Amino acid sequence: MFGGRASDITEQPWQAAINFYQPRHKRHFHLCGGVLIDSCWVLSAAHCFEDRNDVKKLQVILGRTFRKQNSSSEQIFEVEKLWMHEKYDPETYDNDIAILKLKTDIGICAVNSREVLPVCLPERGLVLPDWSECEISGYGKDAEFSHEYSERVKRGFVRLWPKERCVPEVLSGRTITSNMLCAGDTRGLDDACKGDSGGPLVCRNNDRMTLMGVISWGDGCGQKDKPGVYTRVTNYINWINNKIKGNPV
Ligand code: 4AZ
């Protein structure tokens, strides 16, 4: 994350780190962020899995403040199945959403704790006011050209941009669809960056932290007057519920 501040996983216990195994190096590497939405279900961005969709190589880590440090609060899962959105468009990143089903033998995957807790999903039609203040989090890079991902989970504050300002003109001409939303900083240039994709944009609604966006793309990180672009989660509530209902744990 560009800007933001060091956080503790208890501040965003739905944050996941998704890793993939590289046989050449015989270890796992950070791939993307993710969001726990139910005991056995994690949302992420479809583009994360374009080249890495072998579920046997994926690993989901919950409950860690420090990306590479084992912790007594962590819960680690293999992935049973991965669905990238059927209409995901790798050119524009339209429908940039994926859902992962975690592996279990006992009917439960993630167990709730101070460090691990699913986020709330919004209702299908929920629209929050323009400039609502929301939070993003992740283990992504501190700047576009940093060499390493963040060692510690970070949290930043961004505001929801009005649709009229979420247009190609502010994002180097790239296509913006109705399945995307823009959010950007007002307090000190917080923005998502490489390695944060798939992670959460959450906003308070009726006193619940509610997942409004999945970190998707941007034109660099933390550039002045350029928002980050997020997958608009309210457009996918039926898609998510159908996957969960159709694939009981
Ligand atoms: C990325 O490459 C990425 N500033 C994600 C979000 C943003 C930029 C890049 C938004 O995953």
Side-chain angles (χ1 to χ4, degrees):
M1 182 179 313
F2 185 98
R5 44 170 49 194
S7 186
D8 192 280
I9 197 67
T10 55
E11 298 290 330
Q12 54 281 311
W14 36 80
Q15 174 78 49
I18 303 180
N19 293 341
F20 71 98
Y21 185 74
Q22 287 218 315
R24 285 192 306 138
H25 297 95
K26 298 193 175 171
R27 60 184 186 91
H28 285 89
F29 287 81
H30 181 75
L31 176 62
C32 267
V35 198
L36 185 69
I37 58 165
D38 206 282
S39 173
C40 293
W41 294 90
V42 169
L43 285 184
S44 187
H47 81 255
C48 297
F49 307 102
E50 259 181 60
D51 305 314
R52 318 231 184 256
N53 45 29
D54 180 359
V55 290
K56 292 191 291 299
K57 295 199 171 85
L58 297 175
Q59 177 188 60
V60 175
I61 301 191
L62 303 167
R64 261 194 206 171
T65 295
F66 294 93
R67 185 170 60 86
K68 292 192 286 192
Q69 265 183 37
N70 288 104
S71 156
S72 55
S73 65
E74 74 189 21
Q75 300 184 36
I76 305 185
F77 296 93
E78 294 181 337
V79 175
E80 182 175 307
K81 202 162 171 193
L82 159 72
W83 292 264
M84 293 162 68
H85 196 281
E86 297 76 11
K87 295 196 169 148
Y88 164 62
D89 180 349
E91 296 294 316
T92 61
Y93 280 17
D94 194 23
N95 302 298
D96 191 15
I97 192 165
I99 189 165
L100 294 82
K101 185 171 184 243
L102 306 180
K103 228 183 231 180
T104 176
D105 298 327
I106 58 166
I108 310 174
C109 303
V111 176
N112 292 352
S113 67
R114 280 188 71 230
E115 295 85 7
V116 177
L117 192 71
V119 75
C120 294
L121 288 177
E123 285 180 40
R124 200 146 43 91
L126 181 67
V127 181
L128 297 178
D130 290 342
W131 306 118
S132 293
E133 189 175 64
C134 301
E135 301 181 8
I136 57 175
S137 54
Y139 305 88
K141 295 183 174 183
D142 286 336
E144 189 180 1
F145 300 108
S146 296
H147 290 289
E148 255 295 350
Y149 297 117
S150 176
E151 285 305 296
R152 182 168 179 170
V153 71
K154 289 172 90 179
R155 173 160 72 139
F157 293 95
V158 292
R159 291 183 189 268
L160 303 182
W161 278 35
K163 274 188 176 162
E164 313 82 68
R165 292 179 60 159
C166 186
V167 289
E169 287 68 35
V170 298
L171 286 155
S172 300
R174 290 179 58 177
T175 305
I176 311 285
T177 73
S178 57
N179 296 312
M180 300 172 186
L181 67 81
C182 291
D185 177 73
T186 44
R187 296 201 212 160
L189 284 184
D190 298 355
D191 190 16
C193 200
K194 291 182 178 168
D196 289 323
S197 321
L201 167 77
V202 297
C203 311
R204 190 175 292 277
N205 179 240
N206 296 333
D207 269 320
R208 291 170 190 263
M209 296 310 277
T210 304
L211 185 72
M212 297 303 288
V214 170
I215 298 170
S216 179
W217 61 274
D219 183 6
C221 306
Q223 294 208 74
K224 192 170 157 37
D225 299 322
K226 294 196 183 200
V229 185
Y230 298 79
T231 310
R232 189 181 286 275
V233 170
T234 50
N235 288 4
Y236 298 94
I237 301 303
N238 290 349
W239 184 81
I240 293 167
N241 286 335
N242 287 338
K243 291 288 182 271
I244 296 179
K245 284 199 203 101
N247 298 278
V249 176

